[in-house]
Amino acid sequence: MKTILSFLFLIIVVSMNGKAQLLNKLKQKTVSALNNTTSSKPQSAASGSAGTQAAIESTTDKGNTESSDASSSLTTTTTSNNTQMEYLFIVLPDAKFYFSDKPFISSNTGAKTNFTSQEFIYGRLELGGKTVSEAFKLDKQPTEGFHYLNYGILITPTGKSEAELNYDQTIKYTVNNRSKPILIRNDEMKNTWLNFDVLATPSKITTLQGLTPPPDNLAEFKFAAGMDLLTRDGSIKQFFPANGDYTVQLVLWNFSFDDWGKPLESEKNIIAVGSFEYQFNAKDGATLMANSQKRLDGVRLAQAMKNKYTKLPDWWNGKSFTSADALMKPATLTPMIKNYCSNNGLTYISHKVYPYSGAAGWTIYNDSRTGFPVSRRLNAEAWTLYKDENGQCRFAVALIDEKYSGGGTYGSPYISGLSGEFIDCGVIK
């Protein structure tokens, strides 16, 4: 009888322990799920219940075993794909990334997976026969006149386990908090691939980036895309704190939208992820930062050239105008403009004063804290034709200022700058 009672007691203990273990496991899963939730920019009213609606997509790359695939001749060391990933997003199963130190054209030839901080880097995404528009459902975007993808980059020390990384060193955080929109041109929409910049040669920028997804208009795309922002002065030390090997993961993705064009919860984002290894050396830092500034200047120049004048205004060739203000008369104004150009490496061509009536007058600038005058600027516009240091023709207003001297008086007039746009040199006669 004692044996039977002991046996029954053992069963009860085991049963209680089993339930305790089960409850403990459920508790651990719940805590883990809460800990893995990261804050993000609100994307829709439904995002609050995203945790219960999440569909975890687990995909396996099948393209590497298909001999008919255009990339099958490459080994897995030259391609970076969505292999065995589990994210709270919709992951494109057939997406394959390739990277190279030279721009891709019509294939993934030249792809590799290891780079140094002395190299330029370009990417290519192949979509398994689907077009860019189909794969990412770009036609669902509510934008007018343009389409875009969101582009995120995650940089982490190579070899660190997930447990060693910070909360902001995850793909989820990168998608929700560290992604920028890139412009997808009309001729790229129907391609089954996408070539894009990662860290481009300053003179070969092809991918334009905005600052915040989703973008409101086409004018927002005025920056170089990829690692450019991460290699600027002020940010490069944050992402590359020391010499060594880093893993760079890239995410190209799009929102899923409801029928009214509103982004759905982030778990329904459509993403593709690729990666490569990057060997960083701080000795290359100065060059990386200088190239980042060149990209910024290059994109600004390209944007400015799109808006350049193609002809001189009618008033320029109209009836000659003589100003009543002594400062605007040729004897005073011409030497001022010529000296400014000479001192700043510019080539003076000619200038004319825009016709006005009466006295030109001044605009006074006051200190925002004290309210006292700081300077004043002449309202009359002296439009100037000149060539900049790169030989580009410009058409700009000479800004004529005087600094406040106290007691209601101002100092000698001087030109503080030239404000204008590019102009086609061929229209200048």
Side-chain angles (χ1 to χ4, degrees):
M1 184 69 178
K2 287 184 178 180
T3 303
I4 294 174
L5 289 175
S6 298
F7 181 71
L8 289 173
F9 178 75
L10 179 61
I11 291 175
I12 292 171
V13 171
V14 171
S15 176
M16 291 178 64
N17 287 341
K19 288 181 179 180
Q21 290 174 1
L22 178 60
L23 289 172
N24 189 45
K25 286 183 178 180
L26 289 173
K27 180 180 178 182
Q28 288 175 350
K29 286 187 176 182
T30 303
V31 172
S32 177
L34 290 173
N35 289 339
N36 287 334
T37 302
T38 60
S39 60
S40 64
K41 176 183 175 182
Q43 297 174 350
S44 72
S47 61
S49 60
T52 60
Q53 299 173 3
I56 300 178
E57 298 289 333
S58 178
T59 62
T60 303
D61 171 32
K62 299 178 182 178
N64 291 332
T65 60
E66 298 176 1
S67 60
S68 61
D69 186 357
S71 64
S72 61
S73 60
L74 296 172
T75 67
T76 55
T77 60
T78 62
T79 177
S80 179
N81 307 321
N82 302 313
T83 303
Q84 296 180 344
M85 296 186 305
E86 291 187 359
Y87 300 119
L88 293 177
F89 303 113
I90 299 173
V91 181
L92 295 176
D94 298 320
K96 300 179 183 180
F97 281 85
Y98 302 87
F99 301 97
S100 175
D101 56 356
K102 296 179 179 61
F104 291 105
I105 301 176
S106 58
S107 71
N108 53 50
T109 300
K112 61 179 188 174
T113 57
N114 290 274
F115 298 86
T116 71
S117 50
Q118 295 181 346
E119 295 178 282
F120 297 111
I121 308 172
Y122 303 87
R124 178 180 174 88
L125 173 62
E126 297 185 357
L127 295 165
K130 288 187 177 181
T131 68
V132 175
S133 180
E134 290 170 342
F136 290 100
K137 299 182 180 179
L138 297 187
D139 288 338
K140 291 281 189 179
Q141 291 177 336
T143 54
E144 295 185 8
F146 69 94
H147 292 282
Y148 67 95
L149 280 176
N150 298 299
Y151 186 177
I153 293 183
L154 172 60
I155 299 175
T156 54
T158 298
K160 277 201 172 185
S161 67
E162 199 169 312
E164 296 177 285
L165 300 178
N166 298 326
Y167 76 99
D168 60 345
Q169 293 178 315
T170 63
I171 290 295
K172 183 174 181 179
Y173 184 91
T174 301
V175 170
N176 290 335
N177 301 279
R178 198 177 282 151
S179 292
K180 312 292 182 185
I182 60 171
L183 179 64
I184 302 299
R185 299 174 177 84
N186 289 336
D187 59 355
E188 296 173 320
M189 292 280 286
K190 295 183 179 180
N191 291 341
T192 56
W193 70 91
L194 178 69
N195 295 333
F196 59 93
D197 297 338
V198 179
L199 196 61
T201 305
S203 60
K204 295 181 180 179
I205 296 170
T206 61
T207 308
L208 294 179
Q209 175 176 280
L211 287 180
T212 308
D216 293 323
N217 57 72
L218 193 58
E220 292 185 27
F221 298 95
K222 54 185 179 182
F223 302 96
M227 292 171 61
D228 181 75
L229 287 173
L230 311 184
T231 54
R232 286 191 183 169
D233 184 15
S235 61
I236 189 170
K237 292 181 181 179
Q238 173 188 349
F239 294 98
F240 299 101
N243 293 347
D245 296 330
Y246 293 82
T247 297
V248 179
Q249 292 178 272
L250 295 90
V251 188
L252 288 175
W253 63 276
N254 186 29
F255 299 101
S256 286
F257 297 91
D258 66 15
D259 293 337
W260 294 95
K262 185 177 182 180
L264 298 173
E265 56 269 21
S266 64
E267 284 77 5
K268 294 185 178 179
N269 292 341
I270 305 168
I271 78 168
V273 183
S275 66
F276 60 83
E277 300 303 312
Y278 190 71
Q279 187 178 40
F280 176 78
N281 191 318
K283 292 181 179 179
D284 301 323
T287 300
L288 287 167
M289 289 185 283
N291 283 336
S292 180
Q293 184 61 47
K294 288 178 182 177
R295 290 187 196 95
L296 179 61
D297 295 340
V299 172
R300 285 177 175 172
L301 175 61
Q303 295 295 321
M305 291 299 285
K306 290 180 181 179
N307 300 319
K308 71 178 180 179
Y309 292 97
T310 56
K311 65 176 184 177
L312 287 164
D314 293 338
W315 65 265
W316 182 271
N317 296 315
K319 184 179 179 180
S320 60
F321 170 77
T322 302
S323 171
D325 293 285
L327 192 53
M328 288 286 98
K329 293 186 179 297
T332 303
L333 183 59
T334 301
M336 286 179 62
I337 297 177
K338 285 186 175 181
N339 287 339
Y340 178 86
C341 289
S342 177
N343 292 336
N344 290 277
L346 311 175
T347 303
Y348 170 85
I349 299 176
S350 65
H351 77 274
K352 288 187 178 182
V353 177
Y354 182 81
Y356 64 93
S357 59
W362 297 83
T363 297
I364 297 176
Y365 297 93
N366 298 319
D367 186 284
S368 60
R369 293 174 297 176
T370 65
F372 295 145
V374 175
S375 64
R376 66 180 185 177
R377 177 166 295 166
L378 190 66
N379 293 331
E381 297 179 354
W383 283 85
T384 305
L385 286 170
Y386 67 97
K387 286 187 177 181
D388 63 19
E389 60 275 16
N390 298 314
Q392 299 285 349
C393 293
R394 305 276 194 119
F395 186 50
V397 175
L399 305 177
I400 302 175
D401 293 355
E402 291 179 351
K403 292 182 178 179
Y404 187 64
S405 301
T409 63
Y410 291 84
S412 300
Y414 66 98
I415 295 178
S416 61
L418 293 167
S419 176
E421 304 291 344
F422 291 96
I423 186 170
D424 187 344
C425 290
V427 305
I428 300 174
K429 298 179 182 180

